[in-house]
Amino acid sequence: MKKTSLILLFLYAILILALLVLVVAGARLYAGAVDRRASHDNQRLALAYIQSQTAGNETQVRTADMAFGQALLLSEGEDLQTVIYLYGGQLRTQLWRGTMNFFPEEGNVLCDLDSLEFTWEAPGLLKITAGDNTGYARCGGGSGER
């Protein structure tokens, strides 16, 4: 009788341990899936934001290499520009007067993002690469610069 109850207790312990391992493994898989989805959502948000900002801009849209990396500049008038850029792992934007110093840390944070790249595929066709996602925007600018 004692031997049987010890065997049952041992089997119970193995069952509980196996269930615990399955729950922990499932939680890790779920957390990884949620993180990947959030990253993908941020990449799509970045593409959509940049496409919407450049879509109606038939005047001056240009890319620039600044001290912190590449930026997209949208002309807003005589001396004002909207600057869209990646700084500190975050997509940021700010209105900038060209005659003033530019402080990238003061931009409005839109979302977390690993990488951002702008290239001109053709005059007026901007290729935007945000993380693993790529999108295109038709806009005024990009006279064939690459």
Side-chain angles (χ1 to χ4, degrees), residues 42-43 46-48 50-51 54 61-66 68-73 84-87 89-92 113-121 125-137 139 145-146:
N42 285 343
Q43 292 172 9
L47 288 176
I50 294 167
Q51 288 170 333
T54 58
V61 175
R62 64 186 180 92
T63 57
D65 289 324
M66 301 181 90
F68 52 85
Q70 194 176 27
L72 185 67
L73 287 81
I84 302 171
Y85 58 98
L86 184 68
Y87 183 78
Q90 297 173 319
L91 179 65
R92 296 174 182 246
L113 193 62
D114 294 331
S115 64
L116 181 66
E117 183 182 346
F118 304 109
T119 53
W120 292 103
E121 291 290 303
L125 181 61
L126 179 65
K127 179 181 178 183
I128 310 150
T129 305
D132 299 330
N133 288 339
T134 300
Y136 294 89
C139 52
E145 343 161 345
R146 287 191 182 238

Side-chain angles (χ1 to χ4, degrees), residues 4-123:
T4 306
S5 55
L6 282 176
I7 291 174
L8 286 176
L9 184 62
F10 179 70
L11 289 175
Y12 233 11
I14 289 175
L15 178 64
I16 290 172
L17 184 63
L19 288 174
L20 184 62
V21 167
L22 285 175
V23 167
V24 169
R28 285 186 180 180
L29 285 173
Y30 180 75
V34 168
D35 289 344
R36 282 189 301 278
R37 179 174 177 142
S39 174
H40 186 69
D41 287 347
N42 285 343
Q43 292 172 9
R44 289 186 311 161
L45 171 70
L47 288 176
Y49 176 76
I50 294 167
Q51 288 170 333
S52 70
Q53 291 297 303
T54 58
N57 196 332
E58 290 301 324
T59 57
Q60 275 294 76
V61 175
R62 64 186 180 92
T63 57
D65 289 324
M66 301 181 90
F68 52 85
Q70 194 176 27
L72 185 67
L73 287 81
L74 311 171
S75 178
E76 299 290 347
E78 244 178 68
D79 193 27
L80 288 177
Q81 298 175 350
T82 296
V83 184
I84 302 171
Y85 58 98
L86 184 68
Y87 183 78
Q90 297 173 319
L91 179 65
R92 296 174 182 246
T93 183
Q94 73 174 281
L95 194 60
W96 176 49
R97 187 170 301 279
T99 57
M100 308 279 291
N101 289 335
F102 186 80
F103 299 100
E105 63 278 0
E106 293 181 3
N108 296 320
V109 176
L110 299 174
C111 64
D112 293 331
L113 193 62
D114 294 331
S115 64
L116 181 66
E117 183 182 346
F118 304 109
T119 53
W120 292 103
E121 291 290 303

